[in-house]
Amino acid sequence: MDLPYTVPFETPAWTFDDALAALRATRRLGICPMLETVVDMLDELDRPDARFRIVQIAGTNGKTSTSRYTAAILSGEGLETALYTSPELVSYTERMEVGGRPVSGRAFARGVAAAVAAGERVNARRVAAGERPYDVTEFDLLTVAACVVFAEEGVDAAVLEVGMGGRWDATTATRPELTCVTGIGLDHTAILGDTHAAIAAEKAAVVKRGQRACVLGPGAFERADVRRVLLDRCDEQDVPVVAVLPSTRGLFGTERLAATATYCWERDDGSLVLSVDGPEELHPALRAHKPSYQARNIATAVAVAETFLGRPLDLDALRRSVAACPTPGRYDVLCAEPLHLIDASHNPQSVGVFLSSLREQMPDPAARPTLVCAVLADKDVDGIVGLLAPEFPQVVATQTTSPRALLAEDLAERFRAAGATVAAVCPTVAEVSAAFSDAPYVACGSITLAGELAAIERPGVQNG
């Protein structure tokens, strides 16, 4: 029997606040596109990521929900399962879950302390050898910390959501046995490229020789250029492909697929009911009280879990896991009366998906609540605004505390130019929450907006 994992060197006894301070100190570094930093830090820590099996999930949209459903399904199959996602809605501890619950602030702090100490040890040797020290970023620290925490917890498997792209993402420094790409859209274009094919190439880099399979979600097959890039990468790396497709769509290029999973869905009494014909077995009547767009994410998660386990899933356990899986910030009702609905959609693709779900519930735009919107300046602001402007009777423009936030007045001007009625401009999300304490609203446009509203209206996340 393997001995429990322990960090192979002394680390400081940090509090949760100490860990937050260390993470905040790295933000000035921004994004540093290299994997060697995390590889060397994990090596310094005696590869905690080698203590558990790994599924890595990339994509533009749907990757968080797919990651959550995958972790829930694997847990339902009896595996002690960890989940690593980003960003958080309220507390950093939400980024690391074990058994469906965020880790404690104490465990989080211990993981970050170990990651910081590993980076310092690696850089001390580099300086001694006359080499430039690494710039250890916030996401580097969080990813290494998650691996330490999961190894210390003795989990069987971990589902790691890619933060951005794939080629240089810190999660790619680990050793996944199975990868998934949910789909490709235009996002982070200044970093990943300004075409679908270029972004697909960055995300396809998670596929590496020796992996058991790559699951491609429905969004990976919507454009011929994207499909070609992803399938070519799998061919080059000799990694079998499992395709997830709506059952109504013909299967193309089947000679390049190791297996397929198809799905169909319907609405029944407010619930989403779907049937997934997975790589191993048919799974009928999966029910979730979720918007219809979650059908593709649930189907992809079923395919990932079944491929990962290499056997059929237990239908009763699967139904329980799908029904109970939370999706914080995704069509998330903070308050039913008056309706306070948040969604973390933050690019035109995800906004379009959100609006399709909203139309199912509220078909008349004139009867919908006020839209509360905040957008990050490095997103496709005009694309987001252009979709949202005709869908609501009025808009409140605000801005989050993110240093990347677009100024509320600038956002208001974009909405006015798009023909929307701007009811108010609020410089902070707290002011919006106070103004709408007794009035309904729908909020979307950025993940940080959803998080700040959740923190105000759904308090109680524990950090200690």
Side-chain angles (χ1 to χ4, degrees):
M1 184 176 180
D2 292 339
L3 294 174
Y5 174 80
T6 57
V7 175
F9 46 79
E10 290 293 321
T11 60
W14 278 1
T15 65
F16 183 75
D17 287 341
D18 292 333
L20 291 185
L23 292 169
R24 289 169 181 150
T26 66
R27 289 180 180 173
R28 61 181 176 79
L29 299 173
I31 299 169
C32 299
M34 61 186 302
L35 294 181
E36 293 87 346
T37 308
V38 178
V39 170
D40 287 355
M41 290 167 66
L42 290 172
D43 285 342
E44 188 72 16
L45 286 158
D46 195 20
R47 295 305 302 208
D49 58 309
R51 297 299 188 106
F52 46 86
R53 301 169 66 191
I54 295 175
V55 175
Q56 184 189 25
I57 297 182
T60 302
N61 295 311
K63 61 182 176 176
T64 302
S65 292
T66 301
S67 297
R68 286 193 170 279
Y69 277 109
T70 300
I73 293 168
L74 293 177
S75 292
E77 291 289 323
L79 276 66
E80 183 71 8
T81 307
L83 174 66
Y84 178 58
T85 61
S86 63
E88 73 287 347
L89 283 184
V90 180
S91 169
Y92 267 103
T93 56
E94 297 171 55
R95 296 192 181 207
M96 305 173 196
E97 294 186 9
V98 175
R101 295 179 178 274
V103 301
S104 69
R106 188 175 298 105
F108 180 92
R110 189 169 63 247
V112 173
V116 169
E120 291 173 345
R121 290 166 65 93
V122 167
N123 275 339
R125 281 202 305 277
R126 290 181 64 81
V127 170
E131 299 175 321
R132 184 185 181 280
Y134 290 133
D135 292 328
V136 182
T137 69
E138 179 185 51
F139 199 69
D140 293 341
L141 289 178
L142 286 167
T143 303
V144 173
C147 291
V148 169
V149 172
F150 298 161
E152 289 184 335
E153 291 287 339
V155 304
D156 300 311
V159 179
L160 307 183
E161 179 195 359
V162 171
M164 182 188 300
R167 186 184 307 278
W168 305 115
D169 191 79
T171 61
T172 304
T174 66
R175 297 166 180 171
E177 67 177 79
L178 187 144
T179 54
C180 170
V181 181
T182 59
I184 303 297
L186 294 177
D187 200 11
H188 302 294
T189 52
I191 299 170
L192 303 180
D194 58 3
T195 68
H196 287 84
I199 293 172
E202 292 302 305
K203 295 183 187 295
V206 301
V207 180
K208 295 182 180 179
R209 190 173 301 276
Q211 293 170 354
R212 291 177 49 211
C214 176
V215 177
L216 297 180
F221 292 90
E222 292 173 346
R223 293 177 57 96
D225 53 349
V226 166
R227 180 170 69 249
R228 184 168 52 251
V229 168
L230 293 171
L231 291 175
D232 285 351
R233 173 68 180 183
C234 292
D235 284 347
E236 291 165 4
Q237 298 298 310
D238 196 26
V239 173
V241 175
V242 177
V244 183
L245 296 165
S247 59
T248 55
R249 180 178 299 173
L251 299 179
F252 33 74
T254 52
E255 70 281 357
R256 305 180 71 175
L257 307 178
T260 59
T262 59
Y263 67 98
C264 57
W265 59 269
E266 62 182 2
R267 303 295 305 184
D268 178 39
D269 195 26
S271 292
L272 171 68
V273 182
L274 71 156
S275 175
V276 182
D277 193 357
E280 300 284 341
E281 195 163 271
L282 175 65
H283 306 288
L286 306 180
R287 183 178 289 267
H289 197 67
K290 300 291 182 183
S292 300
Y293 71 79
Q294 289 291 7
R296 60 170 48 197
N297 299 324
I298 295 170
T300 303
V302 169
V304 169
E306 208 162 56
T307 304
F308 181 73
L309 294 172
R311 59 169 174 80
L313 302 173
D314 179 272
L315 181 57
D316 289 338
L318 176 60
R319 286 173 173 165
R320 289 192 296 269
S321 298
V322 168
C325 181
T327 52
R330 271 69 184 178
Y331 211 88
D332 193 351
V333 176
L334 298 179
C335 178
E337 187 60 44
L339 178 66
H340 289 175
L341 172 66
I342 62 172
D343 192 87
S345 49
H346 58 282
N347 55 40
Q349 294 79 21
S350 58
V351 168
V353 170
F354 168 66
L355 288 173
S356 69
S357 299
L358 190 69
R359 293 179 192 122
E360 289 180 358
Q361 306 295 322
M362 308 176 198
D364 181 7
R368 291 172 190 159
T370 298
L371 170 69
V372 174
C373 189
V375 181
L376 300 184
D378 57 357
K379 298 292 184 176
D380 181 358
V381 179
D382 289 333
I384 293 171
V385 168
L387 289 172
L388 292 172
E391 296 284 346
F392 295 88
Q394 61 181 17
V395 179
V396 170
T398 187
Q399 67 191 72
T400 67
T401 57
S402 169
R404 297 157 54 201
L406 182 71
L407 293 177
E409 188 55 58
D410 291 347
L411 181 60
E413 285 301 317
R414 304 281 190 106
F415 270 108
R416 293 186 186 106
T421 298
V422 177
V425 179
C426 293
T428 69
V429 174
E431 289 182 40
V432 173
S433 181
F436 281 83
S437 59
D438 297 316
Y441 70 75
V442 172
C444 71
S446 77
I447 298 173
T448 52
L449 172 63
E452 290 185 20
L453 285 168
I456 295 169
E457 299 192 30
R458 189 185 282 159
V461 174
Q462 298 299 310
N463 294 328

